[in-house]
Amino acid sequence: MGGIEWAMWANEQALASGLILVTGGIVAVAGQFKNWQFAAYSIAAGVFICLLEYPRGKRKKGSTMERCGQKCFTTVVKAFGPLTRNYYVRAFLHICLAVPAAFLLATILGTVCLAIASGIYLLVSRVLLR
Amino acid sequence: KYMWLHKEHLYVAFLDIKVAWLGVNISLFVVYFLTFDRGEKYFYTRQILGSALPWARASAKCLNFNSMLILLPVCRNLLSFLRGSCWCCRRTMRKQLDHNLTFHKLVAYMIALHSAVHIIAHLLNFEWYNRAKQATDGDLASTLSHLHEDDGLWLNPIHSNTTTPLYVAFTTIPGITGVIITLCFILMVTSSMEFIRRNYFEVFWYTHHLFVIYFLGLVIHGIAGLVRGQTDKSLEESNPKLCAGQYTEWAQGNSTHCKVPEFQGLPAESWKWVLAPIILYAFERALRIWRSCQKVVVVKAIMHPSNVLELQLYKKGFNMEVGQYVFLNCPSIYYLEWHPFTLTSAPEEKLFSVHIRAAGDWTEALIDNFKQPNPVMPRIEVDGPFGTASEDVFQYEVAMLVGAGIGVTPFASVLKSIWYKFQHGDQGLQTKTIYFYWICRETGAFAWFRDLLASLEQEMDESGRAGMLSYHLYLTGWNSSMVGHAAVNFDRSTDMVTGLRQKTFFGRPMWSNEFSAVAAAHPRALAKTLQKYCHQHSSLDPRNVQFYFNKENF
């Protein structure tokens, strides 16, 4: 189990969370639900997370299958250097992004999924720090 | 008759199941959509919820249907039994059973789709119910929401007018179970992505066991009966078509021919759909455990070049056919994991063998164990054998076998079996000619197979059947020094790479001579190209040459 790169799964989970946040947000905004402003935020946060998590990181061992067309995303993400490279920062970023979406039923699924992704990133960064 | 690459039958066979399944999905969706969209029983419910109600119910029905189906393709022992006993529609039926995992994934995608529809519809439902409860304009929706607040005949499940949909969701059974099972499903899906599955199998395998919580939650999901329709008795006393317009009267009890409508919840029905598959799957797992308890002896372990481990095993009562595969479990590595390996031994041998290449945590751990100076023979558990497409090979006069890299393993079994059938003069052997293509990146991987081919070459010469097996070896990871070497040694009677009589080709096969050029490294691309050229080269006239395509991909 020591050889598993959990960050790869965290990446898939975070990408899925981004999509769920966007979907939930659209439903609440389109339906003009009460407190739909949280949903509007959720759409923006979801899009940002998708852009951040779309480029798949390079595996430590073996070949990495890149996601279709990820090169342009990679250039942008890499430009932020340690802010995007460090998993501890990612974990913290994701949990902060997740919180405001927790106030609406439509987006809470996204919150929980993102929190799980954040948790996995945190686990990975802990391992690295050790 | 030619074997192995078929244009129509395979597609039509698999298409049958897919088309039937899609048809049922669509029918269920349409029928239940219309039931809830037009049904009188739900007239008043629709006054509050609009069309979000039928969308939620139709997708719920499809979710039940697909949740019922999803466990069935992974009952491999049951499928193996069906494969063996389905004599009437043998070939087409068996090929459908080969695609069990593809079907499992299809059904999973459908569950994902219907879950999305179902959740979105219910998000709307919660919001509309809440709005109706909090509205003070006295319209029909608002009136209906305040009926029967003290007895169990209410329509609007939200009983407070100072609450939020979020709070309601987490304080009702369907709300909580819905969130939990959706979460489990999402985790299962993200960990099942091919990238994760192929490189970090344990993440996939252990997370996938969340299906237990999924089914548990699904069964409980509907027991609260929050989806309400008018009772039959109430429909007689207060027909919505006649009475809806006069709601202000009957709401205050002033109407003579329209009573206050009464409502009841739909009973939970998911358990009716999923109970049988759950029992079947439980039986499947029990069978795997029972099989795994049976003693398996590791008679011999041989390390071949290129990190390939051969295990020769013995299990009492083990019977196999050519090209089948088994699942192996090594409790000392990972207790719950089972991994598939094609059998490389012939059915005629007393022992059965597998060749294992290092391709992940489990295989590497197993191989590392045997690389130790004094290796400990670990306990191995075996489930199977399970059938694959190679079983039919001896019924065809001409066989064309293509293997890429380690994908050649079923053919090791085929070729060994030929050797034994020759030795014993087996009359059941119809095969007269075999064309064998092996495409590989590096020479080292040839070693164990080379010995097999060398002994076959010798055997065929001695039996006077030298033309029966025609094999073509393609080395795709070649460099210029190899080519130089080959050019210098061109005149030698045996190949300088393998020592065999038939020469190694450098580069990829010229499929234009056999079929067409193909990318050998990627198994999926290889299969697609082969399939394409099988269509091209199969005659439209069924009496002429037909190529039957059979593929296995682990």
Side-chain angles (χ1 to χ4, degrees):
Chain A
M1 289 276 192
I4 294 178
E5 291 180 62
W6 293 92
M8 293 291 157
W9 182 32
N11 169 261
E12 300 279 345
Q13 183 69 15
L15 190 59
S17 312
L19 291 168
I20 295 168
L21 279 171
V22 170
T23 312
I26 290 174
V27 171
V29 168
Q32 285 289 287
F33 289 5
K34 201 158 166 218
N35 297 326
W36 62 268
Q37 294 85 349
F38 286 108
Y41 158 81
S42 170
I43 296 174
V47 169
F48 172 71
I49 289 162
C50 284
L51 292 173
L52 176 65
E53 296 284 352
Y54 188 73
R56 182 180 276 136
K58 195 165 182 299
R59 288 173 68 199
K60 284 201 207 90
K61 220 171 47 165
S63 59
T64 310
M65 209 171 68
E66 286 190 350
R67 289 201 181 98
C68 184
Q70 79 171 44
K71 281 219 158 56
C72 33
F73 295 95
T74 315
T75 338
V76 177
V77 170
K78 269 172 105 165
F80 289 90
L83 271 180
T84 44
R85 202 171 41 234
N86 190 307
Y87 288 144
Y88 198 64
V89 172
R90 270 208 200 190
F92 184 68
L93 177 71
H94 283 326
I95 201 75
C96 290
L97 287 172
V99 168
F103 292 98
L104 263 192
L105 179 61
T107 51
I108 196 156
L109 190 64
T111 299
V112 181
C113 288
L114 194 57
I116 291 176
S118 166
I120 304 171
Y121 271 130
L122 190 66
L123 266 164
V124 179
S125 64
R126 276 266 139 92
V127 168
L128 285 175
L129 284 172
R130 238 186 267 145
Chain B
K1 271 185 269 188
Y2 284 78
M3 175 200 188
W4 228 254
L5 307 154
H6 190 200
K7 172 167 55 170
E8 287 157 8
H9 284 175
L10 169 69
Y11 259 163
V12 170
F14 186 40
L15 225 49
D16 280 343
I17 275 197
K18 280 203 281 194
V19 168
W21 164 76
L22 207 57
V24 174
N25 269 291
I26 293 172
S27 317
L28 275 175
F29 195 93
V30 169
V31 165
Y32 283 94
F33 188 93
L34 292 173
T35 307
F36 285 84
D37 194 47
R38 310 273 163 91
E40 215 171 49
K41 215 172 150 156
Y42 305 101
F43 182 89
Y44 285 126
T45 323
R46 286 196 296 275
Q47 297 311 306
I48 307 179
L49 301 179
S51 58
L53 172 72
W55 282 101
R57 296 313 310 155
S59 56
K61 204 60 85 174
C62 291
L63 278 170
N64 281 336
F65 173 63
N66 286 292
S67 298
M68 172 184 80
L69 289 181
I70 198 155
L71 281 176
L72 300 176
V74 289
C75 292
R76 55 179 184 248
N77 283 293
L78 169 70
L79 292 178
S80 199
F81 173 73
L82 282 175
R83 197 187 268 119
S85 54
C86 192
W87 298 110
C88 50
C89 40
R90 260 181 84 193
R91 195 185 298 127
T92 47
M93 184 65 179
R94 285 204 277 174
K95 288 196 177 77
Q96 289 189 77
L97 296 173
D98 284 343
H99 296 279
N100 57 334
L101 285 181
T102 313
F103 190 61
H104 179 82
K105 289 179 212 168
L106 258 182
V107 174
Y109 283 129
M110 193 58 107
I111 291 182
L113 175 67
H114 282 299
S115 299
V117 173
H118 186 76
I119 293 171
I120 291 172
H122 274 316
L123 284 174
L124 295 167
N125 287 339
F126 271 111
E127 187 72 17
W128 303 158
Y129 267 142
N130 200 41
R131 259 191 218 176
K133 191 71 187 179
Q134 294 183 357
T136 48
D137 53 5
D139 67 356
L140 179 56
S142 168
T143 307
L144 288 166
S145 300
H146 290 92
L147 294 176
H148 302 289
E149 272 162 342
D150 300 321
D151 56 32
L153 303 166
W154 41 264
L155 171 59
N156 191 327
I158 300 179
H159 298 304
S160 157
N161 54 7
T162 50
T163 187
T164 61
L166 185 62
Y167 183 79
V168 172
F170 282 91
T171 49
T172 53
I173 290 173
I176 300 174
T177 51
V179 172
I180 291 174
I181 68 181
T182 309
L183 202 58
C184 288
F185 185 73
I186 291 169
L187 288 170
M188 278 197 274
V189 167
T190 57
S191 60
S192 305
M193 291 287 118
E194 184 158 356
F195 181 73
I196 304 285
R197 214 173 63 240
R198 291 207 179 271
N199 298 312
Y200 313 108
F201 186 80
E202 296 81 30
V203 175
F204 154 72
W205 181 244
Y206 291 109
T207 314
H208 228 66
H209 283 80
L210 284 169
F211 78 87
V212 175
I213 302 180
Y214 173 83
F215 279 100
L216 211 62
L218 183 69
V219 165
I220 300 172
H221 189 61
I223 64 176
L226 292 195
V227 179
R228 316 282 287 190
Q230 210 171 344
T231 61
D232 293 333
K233 178 164 155 280
S234 176
L235 276 171
E236 282 169 28
E237 293 167 355
S238 178
N239 189 297
K241 283 205 175 70
L242 303 168
C243 300
Q246 303 156 30
Y247 70 92
T248 42
E249 287 159 27
W250 50 250
Q252 283 154 22
N254 292 344
S255 176
T256 41
H257 45 266
C258 280
K259 292 222 178 103
V260 175
E262 292 170 351
F263 303 93
Q264 69 188 16
L266 290 176
E269 63 165 68
S270 295
W271 69 269
K272 294 181 197 166
W273 293 84
V274 301
L275 187 63
I278 287 175
I279 291 174
L280 274 171
Y281 188 72
F283 187 67
E284 159 79 27
R285 291 298 284 256
L287 188 61
R288 287 185 204 175
I289 293 173
W290 177 73
R291 275 182 152 183
S292 70
C293 289
Q294 296 178 318
K295 194 169 160 66
V296 175
V297 179
V298 183
V299 175
K300 218 172 175 186
I302 306 162
M303 274 306 306
H304 291 282
S306 270
N307 240 7
V308 173
L309 168 71
E310 178 184 351
L311 287 178
Q312 293 184 4
L313 307 162
Y314 173 75
K315 184 177 170 189
K316 195 169 161 203
F318 185 83
N319 285 315
M320 61 169 278
E321 285 189 53
V322 140
Q324 287 193 300
Y325 60 94
V326 288
F327 275 79
L328 297 184
N329 179 1
C330 187
S332 54
I333 301 178
Y334 290 121
Y335 191 64
L336 282 177
E337 281 181 39
W338 291 85
H339 293 270
F341 295 96
T342 309
L343 291 161
T344 48
S345 54
E348 291 83 1
E349 292 176 287
K350 279 207 203 76
L351 304 176
F352 62 96
S353 69
V354 290
H355 283 70
I356 301 167
R357 181 190 63 156
D361 289 344
W362 191 91
T363 41
E364 277 174 16
L366 187 70
I367 289 169
D368 281 343
N369 174 69
F370 285 99
K371 275 183 176 166
Q372 308 298 323
N374 287 314
V376 174
M377 285 299 191
R379 183 163 147 246
I380 302 269
E381 296 169 358
V382 173
D383 189 16
F386 301 103
T388 69
S390 317
E391 287 173 316
D392 294 339
V393 64
F394 299 119
Q395 291 165 24
Y396 292 84
E397 284 175 27
V398 182
M400 192 171 173
L401 317 176
V402 183
I406 201 72
V408 77
T409 37
F411 304 125
S413 175
V414 170
L415 295 174
K416 275 192 209 171
S417 194
I418 296 167
W419 181 26
Y420 278 106
K421 285 182 195 309
F422 264 136
Q423 286 186 308
H424 298 106
D426 191 331
Q427 299 301 315
L429 181 68
Q430 299 223 18
T431 317
K432 298 212 167 46
T433 320
I434 298 174
Y435 296 95
F436 178 65
Y437 298 86
W438 192 17
I439 306 144
C440 202
R441 205 172 281 150
E442 38 162 0
T443 56
F446 280 107
W448 67 272
F449 203 75
R450 180 190 59 206
D451 297 335
L452 172 66
L453 288 175
S455 54
L456 271 174
E457 258 183 331
Q458 198 183 355
E459 178 68 21
M460 279 184 295
D461 281 352
E462 287 169 12
S463 311
R465 299 279 291 263
M468 181 176 172
L469 174 64
S470 158
Y471 52 85
H472 310 262
L473 303 168
Y474 290 86
L475 197 62
T476 55
W478 58 277
N479 57 39
S480 47
S481 71
M482 285 181 185
V483 175
H485 224 248
V488 164
N489 292 294
F490 186 71
D491 292 333
R492 285 178 57 188
S493 61
T494 53
D495 183 67
M496 46 124 253
V497 173
T498 59
L500 295 165
R501 209 157 298 141
Q502 298 200 26
K503 299 288 181 171
T504 302
F505 291 87
F506 290 95
R508 296 163 184 174
M510 292 280 282
W511 290 114
S512 53
N513 297 332
E514 274 73 26
F515 287 105
S516 184
V518 64
H522 198 307
R524 209 187 305 156
L526 178 66
K528 268 200 186 130
T529 312
L530 288 176
Q531 203 167 38
K532 186 175 95 184
Y533 288 107
C534 293
H535 297 337
Q536 271 185 12
H537 290 266
S538 279
S539 169
L540 283 171
D541 183 349
R543 295 166 300 175
N544 289 348
V545 170
Q546 295 291 316
F547 286 96
Y548 295 79
F549 181 63
N550 292 277
K551 156 181 98 76
E552 188 68 41
N553 203 17
F554 284 126

